[in-house]
Amino acid sequence: MGILERISEIEREISRTQKNKATEYHLGVLKAKLAKYRAQLMEPSKKSEKGEGFDVLKSGDARVALIGFPSVGKSTLLSTLTKTESECASYEFTTLTCIPGVIDYKGANIQLLDLPGIIEGASQGKGRGRQVIAVARTADLVLMMLDASKQDVQRDLLEKELESVGIRLNKPKPNIYFKVKKGGGIAFNSTCALTKIDEKMVQMILHEYKIFNAEVLFREDCTADELIDVISANRVYLPCLYVYNKIDQISIEEVDRVARKPNSIVVSCNLFLNLDYLLEVLWEYLALIRVYTKKPGQAPDFNDCLILRRGVTVEHVCHAIHRSLVGAFKYALVWGTSTKYSPQRVGLNHVMDDEDVIQVVKK
């Protein structure tokens, strides 16, 4: 029996098993088996599976993967937001390779990848699905393009395909400490009350992975699925922005309903509606900030900025300017919203804000 048949058999057994207290251990083991087989399915085979145009070098300040079903307007969006021409047509599968483009926004170069349309069964390799999903795993953000008139069906199918290959959208990492040991059995502990899992289920799941010596500490109330994610250690947690295109084809009441969904934006690529707001939200989701530098006795250089991630410290800024700067660092003067007054003398641990100006003073 092949891996696909085993996966289908386990999925059928999970769907027909009633969920209650008596079956929760059985379901936990089935989910662990399913995760193992799916991991094997995504491993590259001995035959080369490289697709033409899929090995795109990561460049710029951030990478965004544009995914969706065929013919929802991905290529139109790429051509509109970047200077890249991606072939657009009203028939499906116009894009057959990964086409990169660059969005120049607020001084940042954001790499936007137009991936071929995903179809149902992509996680099992249909329609070049594995290559598409492999590229999506390397992104900083997933931009999921949906047809506003078929939104719920498309969204559920795409989320299911990405979930099955270990891409978790808009979810935090489970707060579970897990470490395999050489001996001593399974040490289980928790810092909070557990209602979704217990020690017996943890042991059964670990035994399914042939793990008999490990340390497990739950810092929050997690499910069996989240424990399996931690054990698998190949899950990717990505922010996702749902972009509903073709809003000119639905009623204004429906547009209002869709726009109020969390992590959602409504646009029309053909009529250029709401694309400026899309770029603003994209910037926020990527958590990018601009830091300007200033030389002693000179005005700040507002024509050139360092693009960094929200939460960076002065030490990160120094590394971005030059790797040897931290060794010669004495203090920094910072102007901006991160300070109580301007300029403020700060050390390496000071956290920077968007559009702050920094002057580094060396020893």
Side-chain angles (χ1 to χ4, degrees):
M1 187 187 289
I3 292 178
L4 287 175
E5 288 80 12
R6 288 175 185 170
I7 288 173
S8 299
E9 191 178 303
I10 292 170
E11 284 176 338
R12 281 196 299 272
E13 190 171 346
I14 289 173
S15 64
R16 64 173 175 251
T17 303
Q18 287 186 333
K19 293 174 177 63
N20 54 46
K21 199 73 179 169
T23 61
E24 62 181 10
Y25 298 115
H26 178 59
L27 283 169
V29 172
L30 286 176
K31 287 173 180 176
K33 284 182 179 177
L34 188 60
K36 272 202 316 183
Y37 287 135
R38 278 178 174 162
Q40 289 175 28
L41 187 67
M42 293 309 294
E43 285 173 7
S45 59
K46 291 178 182 176
K47 295 177 185 176
S48 178
E49 277 193 348
K50 287 183 180 178
E52 184 192 345
F54 274 83
D55 294 333
V56 179
L57 185 67
K58 194 168 185 176
S59 65
D61 301 298
R63 172 181 268 197
V64 176
L66 184 58
I67 66 168
F69 277 90
S71 229
V72 292
K74 298 188 302 297
S75 299
T76 310
L77 184 70
L78 181 81
S79 303
T80 308
L81 297 182
T82 72
K83 293 175 183 175
T84 307
E85 285 301 318
S86 182
E87 191 180 345
C88 312
S90 58
Y91 53 85
E92 296 186 346
F93 298 107
T94 316
T95 304
L96 295 174
T97 61
C98 177
I99 300 170
V102 176
I103 302 171
D104 187 4
Y105 185 67
K106 291 185 178 180
N109 291 325
I110 301 168
Q111 188 182 41
L112 183 65
L113 299 180
D114 179 17
L115 299 173
I118 288 184
I119 59 172
E120 194 174 356
S123 58
Q124 297 169 8
K126 293 182 183 176
R128 308 189 82 177
R130 281 193 214 178
Q131 294 105 314
V132 174
I133 288 164
V135 174
R137 287 174 69 93
T138 67
D140 300 303
L141 171 76
V142 171
L143 209 62
M144 189 181 288
M145 198 110 184
L146 304 161
D147 188 328
S149 57
K150 308 170 187 172
Q151 60 213 0
D152 295 329
V153 178
Q154 288 189 347
R155 179 168 168 169
D156 291 345
L157 283 170
L158 282 171
E159 285 179 341
K160 186 182 173 186
E161 291 296 327
L162 295 176
E163 186 89 10
S164 67
V165 294
I167 297 177
R168 305 288 180 256
L169 302 177
N170 297 327
K171 287 182 181 176
K173 287 185 179 180
N175 197 354
I176 301 172
Y177 173 77
F178 171 73
K179 185 179 181 182
V180 178
K181 299 188 297 183
K182 291 182 179 177
I186 293 170
F188 172 83
N189 215 328
S190 67
T191 59
C192 60
L194 299 180
T195 59
K196 303 169 185 173
I197 198 168
D198 59 20
E199 187 173 358
K200 183 182 175 184
M201 188 182 288
V202 169
Q203 289 180 342
M204 289 175 76
I205 290 170
L206 288 171
H207 290 170
E208 182 59 39
Y209 278 91
K210 303 288 190 290
I211 298 171
F212 302 100
N213 301 291
E215 194 176 339
V216 184
L217 172 64
F218 281 76
R219 297 193 181 101
E220 63 180 2
D221 192 11
C222 295
T223 62
D225 291 310
E226 288 171 319
L227 174 64
I228 291 165
D229 283 356
V230 172
I231 297 168
S232 300
N234 63 349
R235 304 303 192 231
V236 180
Y237 297 83
L238 296 174
C240 177
L241 196 55
Y242 301 97
V243 180
Y244 294 92
N245 188 27
K246 305 181 184 178
I247 57 170
D248 49 304
Q249 298 178 13
I250 59 175
S251 67
I252 192 71
E253 291 81 14
E254 184 68 8
V255 171
D256 183 62
R257 188 186 70 82
V258 173
R260 292 177 187 276
K261 289 183 177 182
N263 309 308
S264 301
I265 288 198
V266 291
V267 300
S268 173
C269 293
N270 288 331
L271 300 180
F272 305 104
L273 294 175
N274 221 24
L275 296 180
D276 289 343
Y277 181 61
L278 170 61
L279 289 175
E280 278 182 42
V281 177
L282 199 64
W283 176 272
E284 282 300 313
Y285 270 65
L286 288 169
L288 298 174
I289 65 167
R290 294 155 292 176
V291 175
Y292 299 98
T293 56
K294 179 186 178 302
K295 292 181 180 177
Q298 296 181 21
D301 182 9
F302 289 116
N303 295 319
D304 190 23
C305 62
L306 299 169
I307 303 294
L308 301 163
R309 294 299 167 107
R310 198 181 299 137
V312 296
T313 61
V314 171
E315 185 175 357
H316 292 109
V317 176
C318 291
H319 281 300
I321 296 169
H322 197 277
R323 63 180 180 272
S324 65
L325 193 54
V326 173
F329 180 86
K330 187 177 181 184
Y331 64 89
L333 294 173
V334 175
W335 293 256
T337 55
S338 69
T339 59
K340 293 177 182 176
Y341 48 88
S342 294
Q344 183 176 332
R345 182 170 164 165
V346 299
L348 287 171
N349 294 326
H350 178 77
V351 178
M352 305 293 287
D353 276 357
D354 188 28
E355 295 193 283
D356 276 359
V357 175
I358 186 170
Q359 176 186 317
V360 178
V361 179
K362 296 194 280 188
K363 292 174 185 173

